[in-house]
Amino acid sequence: MSKDLQIEPENLIDFLSAIEDPRIDRTKKHDLIDILVIAICAAVAGAKNWVEIEDFGNAKIEWFSQFLNLEHGIPSHDTFRRLFIMLDPGMFRDTFINWVNAVTRDTDLKQICIDGKTLRRSFKKGKASSAIHMVNAWSTGASLSMGQMKSEGKKNEIKTVQKLLNLLHVKGHIITADAMNCQVKTAESILEKGGEYLLSLKGNHKYLEKRVQDRFAKKTGKGSRSMKRSSYTKKEKGHGRMEKRRCTVLKRKEGKSFEINPLERWPSLNSIVEISSERREIATGKVSEEKRYYITSLKSSAKEILESVRGHWEVENKLHWVLDVVFREDDCRSRTGYIPENFSVLRQFALNLIKQEPSKKSIKRKQNLAGWDEEFLLTVLLGGGSN
């Protein structure tokens, strides 16, 4: 690496330099760090396949030559492809998580939202079930992806979530997850790492859900004195409809029981939550209603819990939607070896780098600027070292 371009300590390149090269020494014409940096920069600028990554590298070869050792020029698209087929996806993923943990160490993550996403085009023809399912973690405080992990199918997402939690900085933060991950072991893992859980309750725990519903229905009588009831209502107008959400929280009094947690299986179950939503279409007057239930270790107010429930949707709106619409993740047909997992991590590196650039430009606009303006691309690339 050339010294012409000074790189600040503890930046992305430092973390990438620790990755082990899977190639045989006699086959190496290009340094591993060169391949990784060019691929990430190209992904930042919107490259979606190996040919586009090669083209981007060739277009920016003079700029890359300031800080990369390009003795043999820009790698071919086949070289990029072969490297990412072999690259250990666990090591690449852990490098991403370690980097994110470093650049967010002084940031209040507030809430970490856990949710799964299937890479729809990663299946092999005739074997639709082989599409890769990734579990993602998103921070509402940092507005960054905190990490991801491959799950052996959606049905195995529960075990994957627990493994991913072990890699994240959970202490002091609220962890939210959907009904599939409303599991005793998940709650235990979160508490053991010093976090708080807020888990959606649905059909997979029908008896627990029924007991929770009954507690909200029983406003007086036996058991009502063991709980504190609070509520908060928020009204919003937008997208052609009026929406009213009412959050009701029953908090367990000290030393008392909800009578919904037999054998105390759920650890530190301090509150149960009911959220009633009413949507009215302004044009037609049509009204739809829904009730959802949650269990949590939190002792927060109804307003704060409603904000956390709403915050969970950031993982869909600010991560999954962006990966699909801006990075075209669902259109990616790379299926060989470790490519689907590694390209997924590549996109998340690019997204986080773009998100760290402080201007209020859209992600797509930043991608375009990164392709056109080398000063802007450098600012994005060094974003991890500037925090």
Side-chain angles (χ1 to χ4, degrees), residues 84-126:
F84 280 93
I85 284 175
M86 296 185 292
L87 185 66
D88 180 352
M91 186 180 298
F92 198 34
R93 175 206 65 215
D94 290 351
T95 299
F96 173 79
I97 293 175
N98 291 336
W99 169 66
V100 176
N101 285 340
V103 299
T104 60
R105 62 182 176 272
D106 298 322
T107 304
D108 181 6
L109 302 179
K110 292 183 180 178
Q111 177 178 338
I112 299 175
C113 315
I114 307 289
D115 197 25
K117 182 182 187 298
T118 300
L119 308 183
R120 301 192 181 281
R121 297 280 184 170
S122 62
F123 64 89
K124 294 179 181 177
K125 193 171 183 180

Side-chain angles (χ1 to χ4, degrees), residues 100-332:
V100 176
N101 285 340
V103 299
T104 60
R105 62 182 176 272
D106 298 322
T107 304
D108 181 6
L109 302 179
K110 292 183 180 178
Q111 177 178 338
I112 299 175
C113 315
I114 307 289
D115 197 25
K117 182 182 187 298
T118 300
L119 308 183
R120 301 192 181 281
R121 297 280 184 170
S122 62
F123 64 89
K124 294 179 181 177
K125 193 171 183 180
K127 297 181 180 180
S129 61
S130 67
I132 290 176
H133 189 73
M134 305 296 290
V135 175
N136 293 300
W138 174 266
S139 162
T140 61
S143 195
L144 294 173
S145 169
M146 298 305 296
Q148 65 173 195
M149 184 174 287
K150 178 186 174 182
S151 175
E152 296 300 326
K154 192 169 184 178
K155 292 182 179 179
N156 289 312
E157 185 177 313
I158 296 168
K159 292 181 180 179
T160 307
V161 166
Q162 291 164 18
K163 292 178 182 177
L164 180 58
L165 285 171
N166 289 330
L167 301 176
L168 304 177
H169 287 167
V170 171
K171 187 175 182 179
H173 305 302
I174 302 168
I175 312 300
T176 57
D178 59 14
M180 177 182 290
N181 291 292
C182 183
Q183 304 291 331
V184 171
K185 287 186 177 180
T186 301
E188 289 173 344
S189 297
I190 293 168
L191 293 169
E192 286 170 3
K193 295 203 69 180
E196 302 283 357
Y197 66 82
L198 174 58
L199 305 175
S200 177
L201 191 59
K202 213 169 180 180
N204 59 330
H205 289 291
K206 61 181 180 181
Y207 296 116
L208 177 59
E209 183 182 28
K210 181 64 168 60
R211 287 194 292 269
V212 169
Q213 291 172 339
D214 289 344
R215 299 316 295 154
F216 280 99
K218 188 183 291 186
K219 296 182 179 180
T220 60
K222 183 180 178 181
S224 60
R225 294 181 181 179
S226 66
M227 300 171 288
K228 296 178 182 178
R229 179 183 291 260
S230 64
S231 62
Y232 172 77
T233 301
K234 185 172 185 178
K235 296 179 181 179
E236 293 179 314
K237 181 179 180 181
H239 305 288
R241 64 186 180 221
M242 296 285 294
E243 188 160 2
K244 180 172 71 173
R245 296 183 184 86
R246 182 178 179 83
C247 177
T248 304
V249 177
L250 297 180
K251 283 186 275 190
R252 179 173 58 85
K253 291 182 179 179
E254 196 68 34
K256 301 293 184 178
S257 172
F258 281 126
E259 298 180 5
I260 63 168
N261 188 15
L263 305 178
E264 298 296 318
R265 290 182 62 244
W266 291 92
S268 299
L269 176 53
N270 292 315
S271 304
I272 55 178
V273 182
E274 177 187 77
I275 295 183
S276 304
S277 300
E278 179 185 287
R279 294 180 180 178
R280 183 183 300 274
E281 302 293 335
I282 295 175
T284 63
K286 182 180 178 181
V287 176
S288 59
E289 297 180 345
E290 179 186 23
K291 284 187 178 180
R292 290 169 288 145
Y293 296 91
Y294 301 81
I295 59 174
T296 180
S297 60
L298 293 168
K299 297 180 181 179
S300 307
S301 67
K303 180 180 180 181
E304 291 170 324
I305 289 179
L306 179 60
E307 288 174 352
S308 295
V309 169
R310 295 292 307 280
H312 179 76
W313 292 103
E314 281 196 18
V315 70
E316 289 284 352
N317 300 331
K318 295 186 178 182
L319 180 59
H320 294 171
W321 185 88
V322 171
L323 290 173
D324 284 343
V325 175
V326 180
F327 287 84
R328 312 302 297 178
E329 183 169 72
D330 275 355
D331 293 339
C332 182

Side-chain angles (χ1 to χ4, degrees), residues 309-362:
V309 169
R310 295 292 307 280
H312 179 76
W313 292 103
E314 281 196 18
V315 70
E316 289 284 352
N317 300 331
K318 295 186 178 182
L319 180 59
H320 294 171
W321 185 88
V322 171
L323 290 173
D324 284 343
V325 175
V326 180
F327 287 84
R328 312 302 297 178
E329 183 169 72
D330 275 355
D331 293 339
C332 182
R333 295 176 179 270
S334 297
R335 303 163 185 168
T336 307
Y338 294 130
I339 284 181
E341 298 164 68
N342 284 330
F343 216 129
S344 181
V345 176
L346 196 65
R347 282 186 286 264
Q348 297 218 1
F349 267 121
L351 174 60
N352 275 10
L353 285 167
I354 291 171
K355 294 284 286 184
Q356 287 182 96
E357 197 283 320
S359 72
K360 296 188 181 299
K361 301 178 180 71
S362 70

